[in-house]
Amino acid sequence: MQKEVFVGSIVYSKAGRDVGKCYIIVRFDDKGYAYVANGTDKKLAAPKRKNVKHLESSGDVNETIGEKLLADKQVFDSEIKSALRAYSDK
Amino acid sequence: MIFIKTPEEVNVMRKANLIVRDTLLMVRDRIKAGVTTAEVDRWVKEYIESKGAQPSCLGYGGYPASTCISIDDVVVHGIPSPKKYIEEGQIVGVDLCAYIDGYHGDSARTFMIGKVSEEKKRLVETAEAAFFEGIEGITSASRLGDISGRIQAFVEARGYSVVRALTGHGIGREMHEDPAVPNYGVVGRGLRLHHGMTIAVEPMINLGKYDVYTERDGWTVRTKDHSPSAHYENTVVVWDDGVEILTM
């Protein structure tokens, strides 16, 4: 079963050249694509566009970052990078 | 002496730091105009103790409360009082620490109460952004001056000043350990960081000049020109491949 994903969800890529990479969802577009960032090679200024079907939810949501993104408050690449550390190590 | 932590020690430290994080989130959700700073302090003490931890600030060097609550021109170490009401338009720094399983966690946020002026809002946002600017790209190969110098340059480029009289610090078994982590310095200079070094990085920035003074109570630090001040702090651990924020 596909787990639902939200802004702030921590996800893994399961298709494309970045398979296995960990990201956080920073927004969705009108067509249902997710924009993801990891704070390193995919920064907030230029997040990667991914089909939601090609993302696997970790089951976790970083609520602090998610709330800031939804409230249009500034989020920082180092904040995302730090938040994803524990997941990238897995 | 600087105490380098093993990954196992850092794992133990996470607990104290997550309690600090959650306590600040609780304060963020409850703080509003009309409550006294003593009430906020009570919330903090009760919350930290409900998690089985102790508020590290209480009794530290004789400090009489669990929380430092610093309003507008108070930079840090404002002592909570039942007579001090938080008001609309103020910026309120809440700095707290928790101790559990032999380790401390430390973090601070500046909350905007209701509608604040644009200049205060920008000041608060700059303190937060300065923290992230300071840690961006930092690894164990970096120097302390890389953090300090970048914070200073970022803050001063926005027209604010960084407080010189107060610094961040190492943290672990003690709330305040070496090294001092200033918010001013020169990139490429200073102590080399180390894998497993745990430090509290805490930009304290003023709308006006950087000069501060301590009040007669021996704690409250205020800007000399009475301009507003903002504070943003997290405990972080430096690893070979980057910085991990423990209080987020």
Side-chain angles (χ1 to χ4, degrees), chain B residues 32-69:
Chain B
K32 61 181 182 183
V35 300
T36 66
T37 54
E39 279 177 82
V40 176
D41 184 60
R42 181 174 52 79
W43 303 340
V44 167
K45 184 172 186 291
E46 287 176 358
Y47 189 90
I48 290 175
E49 288 178 347
S50 76
K51 301 295 173 187
Q54 295 161 21
S56 320
C57 296
L58 185 61
Y60 180 83
Y63 189 74
S66 304
T67 322
C68 299
I69 304 178

Side-chain angles (χ1 to χ4, degrees), chain B:
Chain B
M1 180 186 283
I2 298 170
F3 296 99
I4 302 302
K5 280 75 177 179
T6 64
E8 291 74 26
E9 285 179 293
V10 172
N11 276 336
V12 179
M13 275 187 79
R14 287 180 205 283
K15 194 168 175 184
N17 283 282
L18 291 177
I19 290 170
V20 168
R21 176 197 70 180
D22 292 344
T23 309
L24 280 168
L25 289 173
M26 178 275 296
V27 173
R28 181 198 69 177
D29 291 343
R30 295 178 69 178
I31 196 166
K32 61 181 182 183
V35 300
T36 66
T37 54
E39 279 177 82
V40 176
D41 184 60
R42 181 174 52 79
W43 303 340
V44 167
K45 184 172 186 291
E46 287 176 358
Y47 189 90
I48 290 175
E49 288 178 347
S50 76
K51 301 295 173 187
Q54 295 161 21
S56 320
C57 296
L58 185 61
Y60 180 83
Y63 189 74
S66 304
T67 322
C68 299
I69 304 178
S70 307
I71 298 175
D72 285 345
D73 65 334
V74 177
V75 181
V76 287
H77 305 163
I79 300 173
S81 161
K83 294 177 183 168
K84 205 172 287 170
Y85 286 86
I86 292 169
E87 294 171 16
E88 171 94 8
Q90 288 181 330
I91 55 172
V92 181
V94 176
D95 187 357
L96 57 94
C97 302
Y99 177 77
I100 191 167
D101 296 342
Y103 289 91
H104 296 269
D106 187 1
S107 183
R109 297 286 182 270
T110 299
F111 299 109
M112 293 180 271
I113 307 300
K115 192 166 171 51
V116 302
S117 66
E118 270 307 309
E119 65 174 12
K120 281 184 182 175
K121 183 170 180 277
R122 190 166 176 266
L123 180 75
V124 171
E125 289 172 349
T126 299
E128 179 180 1
F131 166 84
F132 289 102
E133 178 69 18
I135 65 162
E136 178 65 40
I138 294 295
T139 68
S140 58
S142 306
R143 290 184 179 273
L144 201 53
D146 295 337
I147 298 175
S148 310
R150 285 163 55 167
I151 289 174
Q152 181 182 11
F154 180 83
V155 170
E156 291 180 353
R158 289 194 172 196
Y160 306 120
S161 62
V162 291
V163 174
R164 304 295 201 274
L166 301 150
T167 68
H169 50 88
I171 180 167
R173 288 196 173 275
E174 300 294 332
M175 188 164 74
H176 291 147
E177 295 182 353
D178 288 335
V181 183
N183 296 304
Y184 57 93
V186 180
V187 170
R189 300 286 290 274
L191 178 84
R192 189 174 293 283
L193 302 180
H194 197 287
H195 184 73
M197 189 181 275
T198 48
I199 52 176
V201 179
E202 48 181 320
M204 289 159 271
I205 72 170
N206 299 345
L207 189 67
K209 293 182 178 169
Y210 61 69
D211 307 279
V212 297
Y213 70 97
T214 305
E215 288 192 347
R216 284 185 186 171
D217 62 20
W219 288 102
T220 309
V221 178
R222 222 177 258 280
T223 56
K224 215 166 184 178
D225 59 10
H226 296 289
S227 62
S229 184
H231 182 201
Y232 186 91
E233 175 185 21
N234 283 302
T235 297
V236 307
V237 54
V238 178
W239 298 118
D240 283 341
D241 62 346
V243 165
E244 180 180 357
I245 305 165
L246 296 176
T247 39
M248 289 190 83

